[in-house]
Amino acid sequence: MSGETASIGLFKGLEPDVAAELLRQAQRRTVRADEVLFAAGQPARTVHVLAAGAAKLVQATPKGARVIVKYVRPGEVFGSPALLDRFYPVDAVAVTDSVELRWPSELVRTFIDRHPRVALNVIQDLEERLREMEGRLRDLSNEPVEQRLARAILKLVETFGQEAPEGIEIPFAVSRQDLADLIGSTLPTVSRTLRTWETQRQIRRLRLRLVIADVEAVARVLYEDGAPETKPRRSHRRTARR
Amino acid sequence: MSGETASIGLFKGLEPDVAAELLRQAQRRTVRADEVLFAAGQPARTVHVLAAGAAKLVQATPKGARVIVKYVRPGEVFGSPALLDRFYPVDAVAVTDSVELRWPSELVRTFIDRHPRVALNVIQDLEERLREMEGRLRDLSNEPVEQRLARAILKLVETFGQEAPEGIEIPFAVSRQDLADLIGSTLPTVSRTLRTWETQRQIRRLRLRLVIADVEAVARVLYEDGAPETKPRRSHRRTARR
DNA sequence: CGCCGAGTTGATCAGGCTCAACAAATGTGG
DNA sequence: CCACATTTGTTGAGCCTGATCAACTCGGCG
């Protein structure tokens, strides 16, 4: 259990006994893949930390499109809008069997009063997320699908990647649609791009469970770019009818 | 001066004398339009609050593209990475003559220890920004240029808009390029879109200083959309050589 | 008055979205 | 254990949005 707390950012810099107390007050909840941890629009009454497993934060637009805002890894805080008594802005869904810790928001606030370090830890997580979002915004504005896809996969690899016989494996289901929602593209385009990587480059293989054989080859996509001279790209759009 | 502090989120919920103390310890700095408040890559040693004026946070990509991450309005915290002794991830540039307050990061941290409410106020600002970024990510993934532009302008209007004889005015220079960098598009496309609005719709007029005659007409762009049936859009890209 | 930055406008064209039909893999019930 | 339904992924064809390139206009300004 202490091993578990070691990696939780929220506890960083706390006296061991203080961390233990905070942990004691947590509600522990075990969930299975695809279970919903909280839903967008609900009043946010608890602050969450993922103790084990993985989860995704998803925003569904009114018109049916989905955006995966983030994959949450163990140790990360999520649902922090609760601190301000807001509503959850996204759905949180477990992607593997997972364990989460929850604290009622008032409890966290009073805890912060006694141990402001906890607030700083929350700030750190938020800053990190903000940086990540800034990066994604930048990529979405300037990079073509192929590079965005490479980046997304590399990020998954370094966050969740596990050694496997055939390469690095992402230890939970990631569909083509998920990847598309992650990079602002579409399922067919993602499918085609992955197939290209499979055949042309010595990169490898796929099947609802992602396995990346040659991580460096994927990383190379970001630099090579096919052409000697590179330059920013911009987006196109189109309109459509249902 | 007390009037000035009233609108500063960082001071919210503090005893008046505590807020006064914090304010007293601030370094006050007056800058003129286009002056750089801090630059990306610099070690972040001070936390900033905009007291008056307006500023933009800009990220320049290695390849020359720019992204405007945010327009900062009076009362908002920026440069908060300083709390964690990081590097500023963006350039902060004044867009009008402005006044900023600065605190060395250690000072803020010790202040937080005594008055954790300050940390909560920072968290609130960060949460808000995160929500905003999530929204932009969603739009960039699913909406065509025209709607993104409408949204960006509406946001500017409600954040900075001032009554003017010919409509609502944005009280600082916003170039076509700025708008493009804000919505992930290009100068020519923004120019064309605005011209269309000027002629076809009864929306009005432009000139390095943005003046929106009919705000509601712009808002209508988000709904009408031209076609009766709507549906998510997706992006296109292209490659290019310098 | 010529230069310079900002904006306009036209022509071109391709990235990647949309539509759609099919294949593969998984699940379900009988 | 097989037939069918469902979910997920593949692949082809067409075509639209918006990026790119480029020439030109307009206001300021030194």
Side-chain angles (χ1 to χ4, degrees):
Chain A
M1 188 143 304
S2 60
E4 194 175 65
T5 69
S7 56
I8 294 182
L10 192 65
F11 294 169
K12 210 176 53 180
L14 295 182
E15 306 291 323
D17 57 319
V18 175
E21 186 196 343
L22 187 50
L23 183 60
R24 210 175 314 119
Q25 296 184 329
Q27 299 169 31
R28 190 186 204 73
R29 185 180 168 203
T30 304
V31 297
R32 299 217 274 153
D34 293 332
E35 255 187 86
V36 174
L37 303 179
F38 55 73
Q42 289 179 346
R45 296 197 224 283
T46 53
V47 177
H48 302 240
V49 164
L50 195 65
K56 57 183 172 185
L57 305 183
V58 183
Q59 239 185 7
T61 73
K63 294 181 190 135
R66 292 186 323 159
V67 175
I68 295 184
V69 171
K70 177 177 180 56
Y71 277 97
V72 180
R73 75 170 145 193
E76 280 185 316
V77 177
F78 62 109
S80 48
L83 281 175
L84 311 165
D85 287 322
R86 300 297 169 78
F87 297 86
Y88 292 120
V90 296
D91 296 323
V93 183
V95 291
T96 341
D97 297 354
S98 305
V99 179
E100 66 158 352
L101 304 175
R102 291 188 301 182
W103 292 268
S105 48
E106 324 84 61
L107 197 152
V108 179
R109 281 195 296 261
T110 61
F111 211 93
I112 284 177
D113 276 337
R114 285 185 294 133
H115 305 283
R117 175 60 201 247
V118 172
L120 221 54
N121 290 339
V122 171
I123 289 175
Q124 169 148 13
D125 264 42
L126 291 178
E127 284 286 351
E128 220 156 273
R129 259 177 80 171
L130 211 42
R131 286 305 92 64
E132 192 185 326
M133 292 296 274
E134 285 164 9
R136 284 178 65 182
L137 200 68
R138 226 186 35 225
D139 298 342
L140 209 43
S141 304
N142 313 306
E143 285 185 343
V145 162
E146 188 176 25
Q147 299 197 23
R148 301 210 304 275
L149 184 57
R151 238 182 260 281
I153 289 180
L154 289 173
K155 170 102 196 181
L156 283 172
V157 165
E158 79 185 48
T159 310
F160 299 101
Q162 291 181 355
E163 292 287 345
E166 301 182 13
I168 307 287
E169 178 180 358
I170 306 302
F172 48 80
V174 180
S175 68
R176 302 285 178 272
Q177 184 66 58
D178 286 335
L179 288 173
D181 294 343
L182 200 52
I183 66 175
S185 178
T186 57
L187 192 158
T189 299
V190 168
S191 176
R192 271 185 258 268
T193 306
L194 287 181
R195 187 185 37 71
T196 306
W197 287 359
E198 188 197 6
T199 44
Q200 300 199 357
R201 312 181 174 265
Q202 49 284 330
I203 301 165
R204 206 153 304 160
R205 241 300 174 182
L206 41 126
R207 155 109 242 92
L208 206 142
R209 249 164 180 80
L210 270 188
V211 179
I212 293 83
D214 188 345
V215 175
E216 293 184 6
V218 176
R220 232 173 288 133
V221 171
L222 299 181
Y223 300 98
E224 291 180 349
D225 197 1
E229 295 290 312
T230 35
K231 149 161 191 193
R233 295 117 180 83
R234 258 51 226 288
S235 58
H236 290 226
R237 299 286 140 169
R238 50 184 316 194
T239 313
R241 55 222 67 70
R242 266 203 205 289
Chain B
M1 186 145 301
S2 60
E4 196 175 64
T5 68
S7 56
I8 294 182
L10 193 66
F11 294 169
K12 211 177 53 179
L14 295 183
E15 305 290 323
D17 57 317
V18 174
E21 185 196 342
L22 186 50
L23 182 60
R24 209 176 314 121
Q25 297 185 328
Q27 299 169 29
R28 190 187 204 71
R29 185 178 169 205
T30 304
V31 298
R32 299 218 273 153
D34 293 331
E35 256 187 86
V36 174
L37 302 179
F38 55 73
Q42 289 179 345
R45 297 198 223 282
T46 54
V47 177
H48 302 241
V49 164
L50 196 64
K56 57 183 173 185
L57 305 183
V58 183
Q59 239 184 6
T61 72
K63 293 180 191 136
R66 292 186 323 157
V67 175
I68 296 186
V69 170
K70 178 176 180 56
Y71 277 97
V72 180
R73 73 171 148 192
E76 281 186 314
V77 177
F78 61 110
S80 46
L83 280 173
L84 312 164
D85 288 321
R86 301 296 171 76
F87 299 85
Y88 293 120
V90 295
D91 296 322
V93 184
V95 290
T96 342
D97 298 354
S98 304
V99 180
E100 65 158 353
L101 304 176
R102 290 189 302 183
W103 292 267
S105 49
E106 324 84 61
L107 198 153
V108 178
R109 280 194 295 261
T110 60
F111 211 93
I112 284 177
D113 276 337
R114 285 185 294 131
H115 304 284
R117 176 59 200 248
V118 172
L120 222 54
N121 290 339
V122 171
I123 289 175
Q124 170 149 12
D125 264 41
L126 290 178
E127 284 286 352
E128 221 157 274
R129 259 177 82 172
L130 210 43
R131 285 307 90 65
E132 192 186 325
M133 292 296 273
E134 285 165 8
R136 284 178 66 181
L137 200 68
R138 226 186 35 223
D139 297 343
L140 209 44
S141 304
N142 312 306
E143 284 186 345
V145 163
E146 188 177 24
Q147 301 196 22
R148 303 209 302 276
L149 184 57
R151 240 183 259 280
I153 289 181
L154 288 173
K155 171 105 197 182
L156 283 173
V157 165
E158 77 185 51
T159 311
F160 299 102
Q162 290 181 355
E163 293 287 345
E166 302 182 10
I168 307 287
E169 179 179 358
I170 307 301
F172 48 80
V174 179
S175 68
R176 302 285 178 272
Q177 184 66 58
D178 287 334
L179 288 172
D181 294 344
L182 199 53
I183 65 173
S185 178
T186 58
L187 191 157
T189 298
V190 168
S191 177
R192 271 185 258 269
T193 306
L194 287 181
R195 188 185 37 69
T196 305
W197 288 358
E198 188 198 4
T199 43
Q200 300 200 357
R201 311 182 176 263
Q202 49 284 329
I203 301 165
R204 205 155 303 158
R205 241 302 174 183
L206 41 127
R207 155 111 242 93
L208 207 144
R209 250 163 179 79
L210 269 188
V211 178
I212 293 83
D214 187 346
V215 174
E216 293 184 5
V218 176
R220 232 171 288 134
V221 171
L222 300 180
Y223 299 100
E224 291 181 349
D225 196 3
E229 295 290 312
T230 33
K231 149 163 193 189
R233 295 113 181 85
R234 257 55 225 287
S235 58
H236 292 226
R237 301 285 139 170
R238 52 184 312 191
T239 313
R241 55 222 65 75
R242 263 199 207 290

